[in-house]
Amino acid sequence: MKTKKFNLIPVLMIALFLTNMYSVQAQKGQTETTPNTQTVSNHNQESIVQNLLEAFNLGTENVLELFHEDAVIEYPYAHSLGTPSKLTKTQYGNYLKGALENMPDIAFSQVKSYSMQNHVIWAEFHGEVVIPSTHQLYQQDYVARIVLKNGEIIHYKEYWNPMAVSAMGDHKEVNKMFNDKSKK
């Protein structure tokens, strides 16, 4: 009885091809979907992030249009400044009135977004603006986790450096910018 020799080269080539193919798909954010999970397409994720960043310069109402009625907005580090760290959509509207007024024409750059399963997008971006009240340059690097429901943002969680906020003034001034109840 003759034994056949197993040729390892074709097997290795196939394994290398499959590994490379899945690696490229993962880098592009193209993950396999099943009936219970959906992935945000690359074009759609870029549009959502870009639309949000553009809306910050168009006013509070433009930002709020992107959010689901039941949306939750979180800033995990905001509590260290005495400002809200978890907001409803209505509270977020009041928060934005103070924030956007004090950050006119904020310029965003270095925008990157990564889609995940279950309608999740991670985004990184850099923002810069001269604060009118202090004439200081505010520079911030942001990381945001965005969860979508029916094409709208249902959960937005943004991470940033609280130390950079010092360009906006002292603790009392910052607190007033983001907590002023008269801006309702």
Side-chain angles (χ1 to χ4, degrees), residues 118-121 145-149 152-156:
N118 298 323
H119 307 281
V120 176
I121 300 167
R145 182 178 182 269
I146 303 167
V147 181
L148 303 174
K149 180 177 182 179
E152 296 178 308
I153 300 170
I154 187 75
H155 189 229
Y156 182 78

Side-chain angles (χ1 to χ4, degrees), residues 67-108:
F67 285 79
H68 188 276
E69 198 56 39
D70 298 325
V72 173
I73 297 84
E74 291 186 79
Y75 299 112
Y77 305 127
H79 64 86
S80 67
L81 301 171
T83 62
S85 60
K86 192 171 188 176
L87 307 161
T88 65
K89 183 177 178 178
T90 301
Q91 292 167 329
Y92 187 48
N94 292 329
Y95 179 94
L96 284 174
K97 288 175 186 171
L100 299 180
E101 178 181 295
N102 290 286
M103 298 190 315
D105 301 317
I106 187 166
F108 294 104

Side-chain angles (χ1 to χ4, degrees), residues 92-153:
Y92 187 48
N94 292 329
Y95 179 94
L96 284 174
K97 288 175 186 171
L100 299 180
E101 178 181 295
N102 290 286
M103 298 190 315
D105 301 317
I106 187 166
F108 294 104
S109 62
Q110 303 170 29
V111 179
K112 297 176 189 170
S113 57
Y114 314 90
S115 69
M116 304 295 177
Q117 290 183 344
N118 298 323
H119 307 281
V120 176
I121 300 167
W122 282 93
E124 298 176 82
F125 45 95
H126 177 80
E128 290 189 13
V129 64
V130 174
I131 304 300
S133 60
T134 64
H135 305 289
Q136 298 269 338
L137 178 63
Y138 168 71
Q139 296 183 50
Q140 185 68 263
D141 291 312
Y142 302 89
V143 174
R145 182 178 182 269
I146 303 167
V147 181
L148 303 174
K149 180 177 182 179
N150 300 325
E152 296 178 308
I153 300 170

